[in-house]
Amino acid sequence: MSARAVSVVGATPSPLGTISALLATDLHLYGESLGSALPPLGVAVIAVVSDASTALDCLRAREPDVLLIDMSMPGAPELALTLRADGPSVRIVAL
């Protein structure tokens, strides 16, 4: 695999050199665009979800390295605050 790992502060790349990411946005085109643009950069998008509740479920089930979250999505600010308070290992990137 010739993918280049993306440097994300605090995230540890997997042995294959990729970082796993969950993309949470309610904007369909935005999700599709980012979902296809990130893999060539070494970011494995494990799922694209469109609401905060599904994002939380997916975070618990899949444990990605990074959460890319559209902060204009309903429930996103509350989800980010919940994750910060719980102190999980996932890094949050606000979009």
Side-chain angles (χ1 to χ4, degrees), residues 1 3-6 8 12-14 16-23 34-48 58 62-68:
M1 180 176 230
R4 179 175 59 92
V6 176
V8 177
T12 305
S14 73
L16 297 176
T18 58
I19 294 173
S20 63
L22 171 63
L23 177 55
L34 274 176
S36 61
L38 292 173
L41 301 173
V43 179
V45 179
I46 60 170
V48 178
C58 192
R62 305 288 302 273
E63 299 181 0
D65 299 315
V66 178
L67 168 63
L68 303 169

Side-chain angles (χ1 to χ4, degrees), residues 9 25 40 42 61 71 75 80:
V9 176
T25 180
M71 293 304 288

Side-chain angles (χ1 to χ4, degrees), residues 1 21 27 40 85 92:
M1 180 176 230
L27 303 173
I92 301 170

Side-chain angles (χ1 to χ4, degrees), residues 28-93:
H28 181 72
L29 184 59
Y30 194 52
E32 279 190 13
S33 297
L34 274 176
S36 61
L38 292 173
L41 301 173
V43 179
V45 179
I46 60 170
V48 178
V49 298
S50 60
D51 62 81
S53 176
T54 305
L56 185 57
D57 291 343
C58 192
L59 283 166
R60 289 179 176 154
R62 305 288 302 273
E63 299 181 0
D65 299 315
V66 178
L67 168 63
L68 303 169
I69 186 168
D70 174 5
M71 293 304 288
S72 67
M73 179 180 70
E78 294 82 2
L79 174 61
L81 288 173
T82 299
L83 293 173
R84 279 287 161 223
D86 290 348
S89 60
V90 67
R91 300 294 182 208
I92 301 170
V93 177

